[in-house]
Amino acid sequence: MPRGVSRIDEAMIQRRLWTPAQIRTGLWYDCNDLAAIATGASGVQTLADKSGNGRNATQGTPANRPQISGTIYGTATGLAFNGSTQTMGLDGTFFVNSSYWVCMAHARSTSSAGFVFGAGGNNLNTNLHLGYSGPVNYKFGQWSNDIEVGAPAYAAPPRMTLAVCRKMIGTGGGGLLRLDGTTVGQNTNTDGLTANSGQCIGSRGGGSFWGGVLGEVVAVATADATLLSLDTIRKVEGYLAWKWGSVAALPVAHPFKSRPPLIGD
């Protein structure tokens, strides 16, 4: 490898880097892709969905728009949310009655509770949410059968955290929560979402606002066992960890601790 070229840069130059473009995603938001970001008055108006499904995240109210931030990892851009008013809405109904997973790279900018990803329902299995339920607690839920675990306290300077939630419906399924490439919680509940309106980035149900910088979100909703597998999830984790500078947080046994995922893995 030439001096000064990282492993991920090398893989990109050689066109061997595995990315979510190699799988059938349900949505994919990449805040480091300026071509996918449309700004309007006072901030980011649209974050384009790179999955090809047209599930763009939007904010029509100028005062509630997140800002472009390049302060998290080198020159990589992210979207900064203020923890009080800023959100972006999206169509999350494709998660309903399906197995799914969501993988996010994000960095908190406050010790307060707040949900990075949340919906508007307040009845059983009507609100997919993922984020901080307290200063040192992380939660994945559907407004039932939640998985809640301890999480590192906020410390400056912030770093990107990788969070994955997975719900497998039907026989042999259950819920799973992973942080930085390690499974930290799971249950055997197989109930899927029966509704999921008002999905957004930056809050849950119009409250529980999250303050921090979003790097990337990748999600699938499918019956395809390969797409739902931990092997696929680990590839996404490896891609995000190398891209957003959080490789050090991956466990030693993670398959992409020493290099990013490559096409053909």
Side-chain angles (χ1 to χ4, degrees), residues 103-166:
C103 185
M104 305 187 302
H106 60 79
R108 65 197 304 198
S109 60
T110 172
S111 62
S112 300
F115 286 92
V116 190
F117 203 66
N122 57 7
N123 292 306
L124 183 70
N125 294 318
T126 63
N127 187 321
L128 168 57
H129 52 277
L130 184 65
Y132 295 92
S133 54
V136 290
N137 297 92
Y138 207 91
K139 183 177 181 180
F140 159 44
Q142 297 184 161
W143 215 265
S144 69
N145 303 297
D146 301 337
I147 299 175
E148 189 168 15
V149 300
Y154 168 74
R159 69 163 181 85
M160 282 291 182
T161 294
L162 304 182
V164 179
C165 66
R166 183 181 70 176

Coordinates of all heavy atoms in Angstrom, one line a residue, residues 103-166:
C103 N -29.0 -0.2 10.7 CA -27.6 0.0 11.2 C -27.3 1.5 11.0 O -27.5 2.1 9.9 CB -26.7 -0.8 10.4 SG -25.0 -0.8 11.0
M104 N -26.8 2.1 12.1 CA -26.5 3.6 12.0 C -25.1 3.9 12.5 O -24.6 3.2 13.5 CB -27.5 4.3 12.9 CG -29.0 4.1 12.6 SD -30.1 5.1 13.6 CE -29.6 4.7 15.3
A105 N -24.5 4.9 12.0 CA -23.3 5.5 12.5 C -23.6 6.9 13.0 O -24.1 7.7 12.2 CB -22.2 5.5 11.4
H106 N -23.5 7.1 14.3 CA -23.9 8.4 14.8 C -23.0 8.7 16.0 O -22.4 7.9 16.6 CB -25.3 8.4 15.3 CG -25.6 7.3 16.3 ND1 -25.3 7.5 17.7 CD2 -26.2 6.1 16.2 CE1 -25.7 6.4 18.3 NE2 -26.2 5.5 17.5
A107 N -22.9 10.0 16.3 CA -22.1 10.5 17.5 C -23.0 11.5 18.3 O -23.5 12.4 17.7 CB -20.8 11.2 17.0
R108 N -23.1 11.2 19.5 CA -23.9 12.1 20.4 C -23.1 13.3 20.7 O -21.9 13.3 20.9 CB -24.4 11.3 21.6 CG -23.3 10.9 22.6 CD -23.7 9.8 23.6 NE -24.8 10.2 24.4 CZ -25.1 9.6 25.6 NH1 -24.4 8.6 26.0 NH2 -26.2 9.9 26.2
S109 N -23.8 14.4 21.0 CA -23.1 15.7 21.3 C -23.6 16.2 22.7 O -23.2 17.3 23.1 CB -23.4 16.8 20.3 OG -24.8 17.0 20.2
T110 N -24.3 15.3 23.4 CA -24.8 15.7 24.7 C -25.0 14.4 25.5 O -25.1 13.3 25.0 CB -26.2 16.4 24.6 OG1 -26.7 16.6 25.9 CG2 -27.1 15.6 23.7
S111 N -25.0 14.5 26.9 CA -25.3 13.4 27.7 C -26.8 13.1 27.9 O -27.2 12.1 28.5 CB -24.6 13.6 29.1 OG -25.2 14.7 29.7
S112 N -27.6 13.9 27.3 CA -29.1 13.8 27.5 C -29.6 12.6 26.7 O -29.1 12.1 25.7 CB -29.8 15.1 27.0 OG -29.4 16.2 27.8
A113 N -30.8 12.1 27.2 CA -31.5 11.1 26.4 C -32.0 11.6 25.1 O -32.3 12.8 25.0 CB -32.7 10.5 27.3
G114 N -32.2 10.8 24.1 CA -32.8 11.2 22.9 C -32.7 10.1 21.9 O -31.7 9.3 21.9
F115 N -33.7 10.0 21.0 CA -33.7 8.9 20.0 C -33.2 9.3 18.7 O -33.7 10.3 18.1 CB -35.1 8.3 20.0 CG -35.4 7.4 21.2 CD1 -36.1 8.0 22.3 CD2 -35.0 6.1 21.2 CE1 -36.3 7.3 23.4 CE2 -35.3 5.3 22.3 CZ -35.9 5.9 23.5
V116 N -32.2 8.6 18.1 CA -31.7 8.9 16.8 C -32.7 8.6 15.7 O -32.8 9.3 14.7 CB -30.4 8.1 16.6 CG1 -29.7 8.6 15.3 CG2 -29.5 8.2 17.8
F117 N -33.5 7.5 16.0 CA -34.4 7.0 15.0 C -35.7 6.7 15.8 O -35.7 5.9 16.7 CB -33.8 5.8 14.4 CG -34.4 5.4 13.0 CD1 -34.2 6.2 11.9 CD2 -35.1 4.2 12.8 CE1 -34.6 5.8 10.6 CE2 -35.6 3.8 11.6 CZ -35.3 4.6 10.5
G118 N -36.8 7.3 15.4 CA -38.1 7.0 16.1 C -39.3 7.3 15.3 O -39.2 8.0 14.3
A119 N -40.4 6.8 15.7 CA -41.7 7.0 15.0 C -42.7 7.6 15.9 O -42.4 8.1 17.0 CB -42.2 5.6 14.5
G120 N -44.0 7.7 15.5 CA -45.0 8.5 16.2 C -46.0 7.7 17.0 O -46.8 8.3 17.7
G121 N -46.0 6.4 16.8 CA -47.0 5.6 17.5 C -46.8 5.5 19.0 O -45.7 5.6 19.5
N122 N -47.9 5.3 19.7 CA -47.8 5.1 21.2 C -48.7 3.9 21.6 O -49.2 3.9 22.7 CB -48.2 6.3 22.0 CG -49.5 6.9 21.6 OD1 -50.3 6.2 20.9 ND2 -49.9 8.0 22.2
N123 N -48.8 2.9 20.7 CA -49.5 1.7 21.0 C -48.6 0.5 20.7 O -47.6 0.7 20.1 CB -50.8 1.6 20.2 CG -51.8 2.6 20.6 OD1 -52.2 2.7 21.8 ND2 -52.3 3.3 19.7
L124 N -49.0 -0.7 21.2 CA -48.2 -1.9 21.1 C -47.7 -2.1 19.6 O -48.5 -2.1 18.7 CB -49.0 -3.1 21.5 CG -48.4 -4.4 21.5 CD1 -47.3 -4.5 22.6 CD2 -49.4 -5.5 21.7
N125 N -46.4 -2.2 19.4 CA -45.8 -2.5 18.1 C -46.1 -1.5 17.0 O -46.4 -1.9 15.9 CB -46.2 -3.9 17.7 CG -45.6 -5.0 18.6 OD1 -44.5 -5.0 19.0 ND2 -46.4 -6.0 18.9
T126 N -46.1 -0.2 17.4 CA -46.4 0.8 16.4 C -45.3 1.9 16.3 O -45.6 3.0 15.7 CB -47.8 1.5 16.7 OG1 -47.7 2.1 18.0 CG2 -48.9 0.5 16.7
N127 N -44.2 1.6 16.9 CA -43.1 2.7 17.0 C -41.8 2.1 17.0 O -41.3 1.7 18.1 CB -43.4 3.6 18.2 CG -42.5 4.8 18.2 OD1 -41.3 4.8 17.9 ND2 -43.0 5.9 18.7
L128 N -41.1 2.0 15.9 CA -39.7 1.6 15.8 C -38.8 2.7 16.3 O -38.8 3.8 15.7 CB -39.3 1.2 14.4 CG -37.8 0.9 14.1 CD1 -37.3 -0.1 15.0 CD2 -37.7 0.5 12.6
H129 N -38.1 2.5 17.4 CA -37.2 3.5 17.9 C -35.8 2.9 18.3 O -35.8 1.8 18.8 CB -37.8 4.3 19.0 CG -38.4 3.5 20.1 ND1 -39.7 2.9 20.0 CD2 -37.9 3.2 21.3 CE1 -39.9 2.3 21.1 NE2 -38.9 2.4 22.0
L130 N -34.8 3.7 18.2 CA -33.5 3.3 18.5 C -32.7 4.5 19.0 O -32.7 5.5 18.3 CB -32.8 2.7 17.3 CG -31.4 2.1 17.4 CD1 -31.4 0.9 18.3 CD2 -30.9 1.7 16.0
G131 N -32.1 4.4 20.1 CA -31.3 5.6 20.6 C -31.1 5.5 22.1 O -31.3 4.5 22.8
Y132 N -30.9 6.7 22.7 CA -30.5 6.8 24.1 C -31.7 7.1 24.9 O -32.4 8.1 24.8 CB -29.5 7.9 24.3 CG -28.2 7.7 23.6 CD1 -27.9 8.1 22.3 CD2 -27.2 6.9 24.3 CE1 -26.7 7.8 21.7 CE2 -26.0 6.7 23.7 CZ -25.8 7.1 22.4 OH -24.6 6.8 21.8
S133 N -32.1 6.1 25.8 CA -33.2 6.2 26.7 C -32.8 6.9 28.0 O -33.6 7.2 28.9 CB -33.8 4.9 27.0 OG -32.8 4.0 27.5
G134 N -31.5 7.2 28.2 CA -31.0 7.8 29.4 C -29.5 8.2 29.1 O -28.9 7.8 28.1
P135 N -28.9 8.9 30.0 CA -27.5 9.3 29.8 C -26.5 8.1 29.6 O -25.5 8.2 28.8 CB -27.1 10.0 31.1 CG -28.4 10.5 31.6 CD -29.4 9.4 31.3
V136 N -26.8 6.9 30.2 CA -25.9 5.8 30.0 C -26.8 4.5 29.6 O -26.4 3.4 30.0 CB -25.1 5.5 31.2 CG1 -24.0 6.6 31.4 CG2 -25.9 5.4 32.5
N137 N -27.8 4.7 28.9 CA -28.7 3.6 28.4 C -29.0 3.7 27.0 O -29.3 4.8 26.5 CB -30.0 3.6 29.2 CG -29.8 3.4 30.7 OD1 -29.6 4.3 31.5 ND2 -29.7 2.1 31.1
Y138 N -29.0 2.6 26.3 CA -29.3 2.6 24.9 C -30.5 1.6 24.7 O -30.6 0.5 25.3 CB -28.1 2.1 24.0 CG -28.2 2.6 22.6 CD1 -27.6 3.8 22.3 CD2 -28.9 1.9 21.6 CE1 -27.6 4.3 21.0 CE2 -28.9 2.4 20.3 CZ -28.3 3.6 20.0 OH -28.4 4.1 18.7
K139 N -31.4 1.9 23.8 CA -32.7 1.2 23.7 C -33.1 0.9 22.3 O -33.0 1.8 21.4 CB -33.8 2.0 24.4 CG -35.2 1.3 24.5 CD -36.1 2.2 25.3 CE -37.5 1.6 25.4 NZ -38.4 2.5 26.2
F140 N -33.6 -0.3 22.0 CA -34.3 -0.7 20.8 C -35.7 -1.2 21.1 O -35.8 -2.0 22.0 CB -33.5 -1.8 20.0 CG -34.3 -2.5 19.0 CD1 -35.2 -1.9 18.2 CD2 -34.2 -3.9 19.0 CE1 -35.9 -2.7 17.2 CE2 -34.9 -4.7 18.1 CZ -35.8 -4.1 17.2
G141 N -36.7 -0.6 20.5 CA -38.1 -1.0 20.9 C -39.0 -0.8 19.7 O -38.7 -0.1 18.7
Q142 N -40.2 -1.3 19.9 CA -41.4 -1.1 19.0 C -42.6 -0.6 19.8 O -43.7 -0.8 19.4 CB -41.7 -2.4 18.3 CG -40.6 -3.0 17.4 CD -41.1 -4.2 16.7 OE1 -40.5 -4.6 15.7 NE2 -42.1 -4.9 17.1
W143 N -42.3 0.0 21.0 CA -43.3 0.3 22.0 C -43.8 -1.0 22.6 O -45.0 -1.1 23.0 CB -44.5 1.1 21.4 CG -45.1 2.1 22.3 CD1 -46.1 1.9 23.2 CD2 -44.6 3.4 22.6 NE1 -46.4 3.0 23.9 CE2 -45.4 4.0 23.6 CE3 -43.6 4.2 22.1 CZ2 -45.2 5.3 24.1 CZ3 -43.4 5.5 22.5 CH2 -44.2 6.0 23.5
S144 N -42.9 -1.9 22.7 CA -43.2 -3.2 23.5 C -41.9 -4.0 23.4 O -41.1 -3.9 22.4 CB -44.3 -4.0 22.8 OG -44.0 -4.5 21.6
N145 N -41.7 -5.0 24.3 CA -40.7 -5.9 24.3 C -39.3 -5.3 24.0 O -38.6 -5.8 23.1 CB -41.0 -7.0 23.3 CG -42.3 -7.7 23.6 OD1 -42.5 -8.3 24.7 ND2 -43.3 -7.6 22.7
D146 N -39.0 -4.2 24.6 CA -37.8 -3.4 24.4 C -36.6 -4.2 24.8 O -36.6 -5.0 25.7 CB -37.9 -2.1 25.1 CG -39.1 -1.3 24.7 OD1 -39.6 -1.5 23.6 OD2 -39.5 -0.4 25.5
I147 N -35.5 -3.8 24.2 CA -34.1 -4.2 24.6 C -33.4 -3.0 25.1 O -33.2 -2.1 24.3 CB -33.4 -4.9 23.5 CG1 -34.1 -6.2 23.0 CG2 -32.0 -5.3 24.0 CD1 -33.4 -6.9 21.8
E148 N -33.1 -2.9 26.3 CA -32.4 -1.7 26.9 C -31.2 -2.1 27.6 O -31.2 -3.0 28.4 CB -33.4 -1.0 27.8 CG -32.8 0.4 28.3 CD -33.9 1.2 29.0 OE1 -35.0 0.6 29.3 OE2 -33.8 2.4 29.1
V149 N -30.0 -1.5 27.3 CA -28.8 -1.9 27.8 C -28.0 -0.7 28.3 O -28.3 0.4 27.9 CB -27.9 -2.7 26.8 CG1 -28.6 -3.9 26.3 CG2 -27.6 -1.8 25.6
G150 N -26.9 -0.9 29.0 CA -26.0 0.1 29.4 C -25.2 0.6 28.2 O -24.9 -0.2 27.3
A151 N -24.9 1.9 28.2 CA -24.1 2.5 27.1 C -23.0 3.4 27.7 O -23.2 3.9 28.8 CB -24.9 3.2 26.2
P152 N -21.9 3.6 27.1 CA -20.9 4.5 27.6 C -21.4 5.9 27.8 O -22.2 6.4 27.0 CB -19.8 4.5 26.5 CG -20.0 3.2 25.8 CD -21.5 2.9 25.8
A153 N -21.0 6.5 28.8 CA -21.4 7.9 29.1 C -20.8 8.8 28.0 O -19.7 8.5 27.4 CB -20.9 8.4 30.5
Y154 N -21.4 9.9 27.8 CA -20.9 10.9 26.8 C -19.6 11.5 27.2 O -19.4 11.8 28.4 CB -21.9 12.0 26.6 CG -21.4 13.2 25.8 CD1 -21.2 13.1 24.4 CD2 -21.0 14.4 26.5 CE1 -20.6 14.1 23.7 CE2 -20.4 15.4 25.8 CZ -20.3 15.3 24.4 OH -19.7 16.3 23.7
A155 N -18.7 11.6 26.3 CA -17.4 12.2 26.6 C -16.9 12.9 25.3 O -17.2 12.5 24.2 CB -16.4 11.1 26.9
A156 N -16.3 14.1 25.5 CA -15.8 14.9 24.4 C -14.3 14.5 24.2 O -13.6 14.2 25.2 CB -16.0 16.3 24.7
P157 N -13.8 14.5 23.0 CA -14.5 14.7 21.8 C -15.4 13.5 21.4 O -15.0 12.4 21.7 CB -13.5 15.0 20.7 CG -12.3 14.2 21.2 CD -12.4 14.3 22.7
P158 N -16.5 13.7 20.8 CA -17.4 12.6 20.5 C -16.8 11.7 19.4 O -16.0 12.2 18.6 CB -18.7 13.3 20.0 CG -18.3 14.6 19.5 CD -17.1 15.0 20.3
R159 N -17.2 10.5 19.3 CA -16.8 9.6 18.3 C -18.1 8.9 17.7 O -19.1 8.8 18.4 CB -15.8 8.5 18.8 CG -16.4 7.5 19.7 CD -15.5 6.2 19.9 NE -16.2 5.3 20.8 CZ -17.0 4.3 20.3 NH1 -17.4 4.3 19.1 NH2 -17.5 3.5 21.2
M160 N -17.9 8.3 16.5 CA -19.0 7.6 15.9 C -19.3 6.3 16.7 O -18.4 5.5 16.9 CB -18.8 7.3 14.5 CG -19.0 8.5 13.6 SD -20.7 9.0 13.5 CE -20.6 10.4 12.3
T161 N -20.5 6.0 17.0 CA -21.0 4.8 17.5 C -21.7 4.0 16.4 O -22.5 4.6 15.7 CB -21.9 5.0 18.7 OG1 -21.2 5.6 19.8 CG2 -22.5 3.7 19.2
L162 N -21.5 2.7 16.3 CA -22.3 1.9 15.4 C -23.4 1.2 16.2 O -23.1 0.5 17.2 CB -21.4 0.9 14.7 CG -20.2 1.4 14.0 CD1 -19.4 0.2 13.3 CD2 -20.6 2.4 12.9
A163 N -24.6 1.4 15.8 CA -25.8 0.7 16.5 C -26.6 -0.1 15.4 O -26.9 0.4 14.3 CB -26.7 1.8 17.1
V164 N -26.9 -1.3 15.8 CA -27.7 -2.1 14.9 C -28.9 -2.7 15.7 O -28.7 -3.3 16.8 CB -26.9 -3.3 14.3 CG1 -27.8 -4.2 13.5 CG2 -25.7 -2.8 13.6
C165 N -30.1 -2.6 15.2 CA -31.2 -3.4 15.8 C -31.7 -4.3 14.7 O -31.7 -4.0 13.5 CB -32.3 -2.4 16.3 SG -33.2 -1.5 15.0
R166 N -32.1 -5.5 15.1 CA -32.7 -6.4 14.2 C -33.9 -7.1 14.8 O -33.9 -7.5 16.0 CB -31.7 -7.5 13.8 CG -32.3 -8.5 12.8 CD -31.2 -9.6 12.4 NE -31.0 -10.5 13.5 CZ -30.3 -11.6 13.4 NH1 -29.6 -11.9 12.3 NH2 -30.1 -12.4 14.5

